[in-house]
Amino acid sequence: MIKVEIVVTNRQNMIKLSYMINNPCALISIRGTYDSRPKFKHNSNIKRILELCFDDVEEDRYPELAMRYEDAVAIANFVKSLKDIDILYIHCEAGISRSAGVAAAISKALTGDDTYFFERPFCPNMNCYKLTLRAFGLDVTPMELLRLDNKINEGIRKELE
């Protein structure tokens, strides 16, 4: 199994990081339908980049497009092909929802544990989570989804108190 540190961040921070990365890494870059491509510095330590384009929605809501199963398959294939990589960076615009959903599923597939990505400040996009899990050949039960949803809502409630 692949051993890699998974780091979730936002678009602006990832652009800054691209200037400072000094260990072999890979990057999953998620942008919205109408967002421009991030301008990362060419850095020889960024060994591979997977660029995806979908919005932070659970299902299509014109004009926004949700993640597709094909995106999740691309993610699973990308991760399975990684070699000699210390860190996998995953970013979306805010680094909270889409990237956290993808990261949680990758973590679950690689280690069996997704707990970290269901803690604040993350609020995983559950469509991204479910599709990516499925692309890795895993499934999530309705009871598990309910537990995760309750965990997210509990974190939000605590933050509002």
Side-chain angles (χ1 to χ4, degrees), residues 28-159:
I28 298 175
S29 177
I30 304 169
R31 65 182 169 93
T33 305
Y34 299 101
D35 295 332
S36 61
R37 293 171 77 181
K39 291 180 174 55
F40 301 118
K41 179 188 184 302
H42 176 75
N43 182 328
S44 62
N45 286 309
I46 302 174
K47 302 298 184 185
R48 299 201 42 221
I49 299 176
L50 174 63
E51 294 183 78
L52 300 167
C53 184
F54 53 86
D55 297 299
D56 190 13
V57 291
E58 302 278 333
E59 58 187 46
D60 290 350
R61 289 188 320 210
Y62 182 80
E64 297 174 308
L65 300 175
M67 180 188 199
R68 303 273 190 262
Y69 181 66
E70 293 77 20
D71 298 319
V73 169
I75 291 167
N77 290 338
F78 181 79
V79 170
K80 289 175 186 175
S81 73
L82 295 178
K83 305 239 184 312
D84 300 323
I85 297 297
D86 296 329
I87 301 173
L88 172 60
Y89 290 98
I90 306 172
H91 90 82
C92 61
E93 188 62 32
I96 294 171
S97 184
R98 289 170 289 178
S99 53
V102 168
I106 293 170
S107 182
K108 181 86 165 181
L110 298 182
T111 70
D113 184 18
D114 57 13
T115 307
Y116 175 76
F117 298 103
F118 283 94
E119 302 288 333
R120 298 303 284 166
F122 304 118
C123 188
N125 178 304
M126 294 307 285
N127 180 54
C128 295
Y129 177 73
K130 291 184 289 188
L131 288 176
T132 305
L133 270 183
R134 191 162 51 116
F136 275 101
L138 301 173
D139 204 1
V140 60
T141 66
M143 286 303 291
E144 180 68 4
L145 284 175
L146 182 60
R147 183 188 71 75
L148 294 171
D149 191 48
N150 286 338
K151 187 170 181 63
I152 292 168
N153 288 331
E154 177 184 317
I156 293 169
R157 274 193 304 277
K158 283 182 182 175
E159 200 168 279

Side-chain angles (χ1 to χ4, degrees), residues 13 18 151:
N13 194 45
S18 73
K151 187 170 181 63

